[in-house]
């Protein structure tokens, strides 16, 4: 038994070393992509550029229900992690292996912000590594509320709307702060797949996504069962 344990330990060490050798070029190329992106425009300048947008909305002008909905469904440990959620990444890897396809990415809100403002949407290992480095840098320079604020002002909501204010006015003819609970939770689910979940494309699918948002909110204690039922009932009206 002792010899078997020693053998398994050695085998694990060999596998780790091999994985390190294989992944080293990808990590280096991702880091290089991250460094070049920062050289082109530092984070402070990028933030100023985004805040100068006509439709930029500060976090104090967003309903609490909307903020909680986004955090619950996209990154419920947002205020605990430092840009990377190891638990979410491991879960995503497990689910991807189980499904035999890339269905989940385990990206935090900070990683999604990094992708929105610095990189393309293509799913490559190189870009993912660059995104991780950038997320770490963003967390070093910005507080959580600022990161969230920037995220909802750089996300795509479908129908040509690239900020929460554009989406709120476009879909509901309201400012974000005026959104009711039904509208706030519906719009929170759109960026996951705007071409599918935009209510103008397919309201039934938008409602399915909204139910996922509400389930996450209920699971993580952001809403009560009564609030959940009340919003769900509005889907049929």
């Amino acid at each position: 038994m002792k010899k078997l344990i020693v053998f398994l330990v050695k085998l694990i060490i060999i596998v780790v070393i091999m994985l390190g050798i294989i992944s080293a070029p990808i990590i280096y190329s991702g880091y290089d992509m991250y460094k070049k992106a920062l050289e082109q425009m530092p984070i402070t300048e990028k933030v100023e550029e985004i805040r100068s947008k006509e439709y930029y909305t500060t976090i104090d002008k967003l309903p609490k229900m909307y903020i909680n909905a986004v955090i619950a469904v996209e990154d419920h440990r947002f205020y605990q992690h430092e840009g990377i959620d190891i638990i979410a990444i491991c879960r995503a890897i497990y689910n991807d292996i189980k499904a035999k396809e890339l269905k989940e990415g385990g990206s935090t809100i900070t990683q999604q912000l990094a992708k929105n403002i610095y990189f393309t949407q293509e799913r490559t290992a190189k870009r993912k590594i660059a995104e991780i480095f950038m997320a770490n840098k963003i967390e070093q320079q910005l507080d959580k509320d600022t990161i969230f604020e920037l995220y909802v002002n750089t996300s795509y909501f479908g129908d040509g709307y690239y900020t929460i204010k554009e989406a709120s006015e476009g879909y509901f003819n309201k400012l974000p702060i005026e959104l009711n609970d039904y509208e706030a939770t519906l719009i929170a689910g759109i960026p996951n797949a705007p071409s599918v979940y935009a209510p103008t494309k397919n309201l039934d699918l938008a409602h399915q996504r909204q139910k996922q948002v509400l389930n996450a909110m209920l699971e993580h204690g952001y809403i009560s069962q009564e609030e959940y039922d009340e919003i769900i009932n509005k889907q049929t009206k």
Side-chain angles (χ1 to χ4, degrees):
M1 178 61 70
K2 185 177 180 180
K3 288 183 179 181
L4 177 60
I5 294 174
V6 171
F7 170 77
L8 290 175
V9 170
K10 288 181 179 179
L11 182 60
I12 291 170
I13 292 173
I14 291 171
V15 170
V16 170
I17 292 173
M18 290 178 66
L19 288 174
I21 293 172
I22 294 170
S23 62
I26 298 174
I27 294 173
Y28 177 80
S29 62
Y31 178 76
D32 186 57
M33 178 185 284
Y34 148 75
K35 291 295 291 183
K36 287 179 178 177
L38 270 188
E39 288 170 3
Q40 290 179 357
M41 184 173 288
I43 291 172
T44 51
E45 291 183 23
K46 182 67 76 171
V47 171
E48 289 177 12
E49 179 186 68
I50 296 168
R51 282 177 169 165
S52 68
K53 288 182 179 180
E54 179 184 357
Y55 287 95
Y56 190 86
T57 304
T58 54
I59 196 168
D60 60 303
K61 297 295 191 300
L62 298 173
K64 190 65 176 176
M65 180 66 74
Y66 171 72
I67 295 172
N68 289 341
V70 174
I71 291 173
V73 76
E74 294 290 345
D75 182 8
H76 71 273
R77 281 183 286 271
F78 175 63
Y79 283 99
Q80 284 74 55
H81 64 63
E82 297 181 0
I84 309 299
D85 188 343
I86 300 300
I87 297 174
I89 290 174
C90 291
R91 184 197 66 236
I93 292 173
Y94 171 78
N95 289 335
D96 287 346
I97 293 173
K98 189 176 179 181
K100 296 181 180 179
E101 62 177 313
L102 292 174
K103 298 185 67 176
E104 296 185 34
S107 293
T108 63
I109 285 175
T110 314
Q111 286 176 259
Q112 292 181 59
L113 173 62
K115 178 176 62 179
N116 288 349
I117 65 179
Y118 277 108
F119 308 114
T120 67
Q121 301 295 314
E122 64 175 336
R123 302 181 105 184
T124 65
K126 177 182 176 181
R127 194 227 70 206
K128 193 70 177 179
I129 295 297
E131 174 190 300
I132 290 172
F133 279 113
M134 190 64 75
N136 178 65
K137 190 70 173 178
I138 289 172
E139 290 271 349
Q140 290 176 14
Q141 296 194 11
L142 306 175
D143 62 69
K144 289 289 188 177
D145 285 351
T146 300
I147 292 170
F148 183 89
E149 183 178 292
L150 292 167
Y151 169 68
V152 299
N153 281 281
T154 57
S155 294
Y156 184 52
F157 292 84
D159 280 10
Y161 306 135
Y162 285 89
T163 66
I164 177 59
K165 186 177 181 182
E166 289 175 294
S168 180
E169 291 182 348
Y171 290 126
F172 303 112
N173 197 29
K174 293 181 177 182
L175 292 173
I177 197 67
E178 298 171 336
L179 294 173
N180 60 38
D181 292 350
Y182 165 81
E183 294 162 343
T185 53
L186 182 68
I187 210 169
I190 297 174
N192 180 261
S195 62
V196 177
Y197 297 132
T200 52
K201 303 299 182 187
N202 189 317
L203 188 56
D204 287 339
L205 289 178
H207 280 159
Q208 289 178 30
R209 174 60 177 166
Q210 182 183 33
K211 191 171 183 180
Q212 293 176 351
V213 172
L214 293 170
N215 285 338
M217 295 184 76
L218 186 62
E219 178 184 353
H220 301 300
Y222 286 108
I223 56 173
S224 64
Q225 184 65 55
E226 184 179 356
E227 290 173 307
Y228 176 97
D229 294 338
E230 184 178 343
I231 296 172
I232 287 293
N233 288 336
K234 289 183 178 180
Q235 288 187 347
T236 58
K237 294 182 179 179

